[in-house]
Amino acid sequence: MEDERVERVLLASAVGNAAVCLLKIIGGVLSGSVALLADGSDSLLNVASASLAYRFRREARKPPDREHPYGHALVEAYGSILILVLMVATFSFVGFEALDRLLHGAEERVLPIGIAFAALSLALNLTVSAMLRVFGRGSPIAATEARHVSFDVAEGVVTLTGVALGSAFSSLYDVAAAFVLLALVAFFVARTLKQLEAEITAASPPREVVERIESALREVKGVVGYHNLRVRRAGESVFADVHLVVERGLSVEEAHRICDEAESRMKRALGGTPVDIVIHVEPEGDE
């Protein structure tokens, strides 16, 4: 049910972004605002990125298969990278357009109708952002989309300010707003890449997660010690492997029981987090 809920909110995000995109581009054309056109280009990108998020979220939920024995969790990280690539490509074009207007001149003022389109678009962006944050919890790619749309809210404020000042005083304010939008997008891309780095490089989860696993292992009756504990996160899942040291001379059945208990305790320690655990048993003295 949770997966279906996340997928529905991603689909709704794509529809909402499509409406925002239409409003901004129409407003930009009618008012002559380069900031609205830049913001509209980003919303057009949001439609594509939300569609990608929806597709890769479904892909990530597939069970392990022969080609992907560890599951498909990292597909979401791959989808997030594709979204960032689209952002860089789109805003490279927008940057050239803003620079061209700055160097070769533009209309003296932006038409006031652009203010209404900018305000309406901002209100719709706020709605989509809140929806993603509330109903998309637990999904890395939904979180990426939520951050993206949150930046759209910030961009909407900048756009509305630029259009209003461009309408009242000079279109240079509008062009300046477009450059501020480019800076915001560059910051978003850099920050999201940093957050994706941990998943791509198979980094360990936060220390508290590892400590909960260690605490669970120490509570298992029959475990003398453990070593070579390795934990990594991939999407929502946690993968762990550990060498358990047990008393020498135990039967295979008893060693198996200890492994089952250790695995059960580790999973309970991590709550509802999907966990894949591999345990290697060693007799005391051989470690």
Side-chain angles (χ1 to χ4, degrees), residues 32 86 115 135-137 155 158 196 206 218 236 268 276 280:
L86 283 173
I115 299 175
F135 298 106
R137 290 174 182 169
E155 291 167 1
V158 172
L196 288 172
R218 287 192 290 267
E236 299 174 39
R268 286 201 302 271
D276 187 297
H280 174 74

Side-chain angles (χ1 to χ4, degrees), residues 255-267:
H256 181 68
R257 183 199 65 76
I258 292 174
C259 287
D260 282 348
E261 184 179 351
E263 182 175 347
S264 177
R265 285 183 178 273
M266 291 167 69
K267 288 181 177 180

Side-chain angles (χ1 to χ4, degrees), residues 209-220 226 265 269:
V209 174
V210 180
E211 289 175 350
R212 289 207 300 269
I213 291 175
E214 292 176 332
S215 177
L217 290 174
R218 287 192 290 267
E219 294 173 357
V220 179
Y226 63 90
R265 285 183 178 273

Side-chain angles (χ1 to χ4, degrees), residues 227-228 243-247 280-287:
H227 60 95
N228 287 7
H243 289 215
L244 281 188
V245 182
V246 300
E247 296 176 1
H280 174 74
V281 179
E282 296 180 359
E284 186 178 10
D286 285 1
E287 67 273 18

Side-chain angles (χ1 to χ4, degrees), residues 65-226:
D65 53 36
R66 180 177 296 181
E67 294 182 353
H68 305 87
Y70 292 95
H72 300 75
L74 288 177
V75 167
E76 289 199 71
Y78 173 68
S80 296
I81 291 173
L82 284 183
I83 291 172
L84 297 182
V85 170
L86 283 173
M87 289 182 69
V88 171
T90 301
F91 275 87
S92 294
F93 169 76
V94 171
F96 281 120
E97 176 66 20
L99 187 61
D100 180 70
R101 291 206 181 188
L102 182 64
L103 295 177
H104 299 95
E107 298 295 330
E108 183 177 346
R109 291 185 185 179
V110 174
L111 297 180
I113 192 175
I115 299 175
F117 280 94
L120 186 57
S121 300
L122 176 59
L124 191 52
N125 263 335
L126 283 167
T127 302
V128 174
S129 176
M131 180 180 64
L132 280 168
R133 288 191 178 279
V134 172
F135 298 106
R137 290 174 182 169
S139 166
I141 202 163
T144 298
E145 274 299 290
R147 288 193 298 271
H148 190 180
V149 178
S150 293
F151 262 75
D152 283 349
V153 172
E155 291 167 1
V157 172
V158 172
T159 300
L160 180 58
T161 303
V163 172
L165 292 175
S167 174
F169 302 105
S170 168
S171 62
L172 288 178
Y173 287 102
D174 180 66
V175 175
F179 281 111
V180 172
L181 295 179
L182 291 175
L184 287 172
V185 169
F187 174 75
F188 170 81
V189 170
R191 191 181 72 167
T192 304
L193 279 175
K194 182 66 176 177
Q195 292 169 337
L196 288 172
E197 180 183 2
E199 288 193 42
I200 297 171
T201 57
S204 294
R207 181 60 194 170
E208 63 181 32
V209 174
V210 180
E211 289 175 350
R212 289 207 300 269
I213 291 175
E214 292 176 332
S215 177
L217 290 174
R218 287 192 290 267
E219 294 173 357
V220 179
K221 185 178 180 180
V223 173
V224 177
Y226 63 90

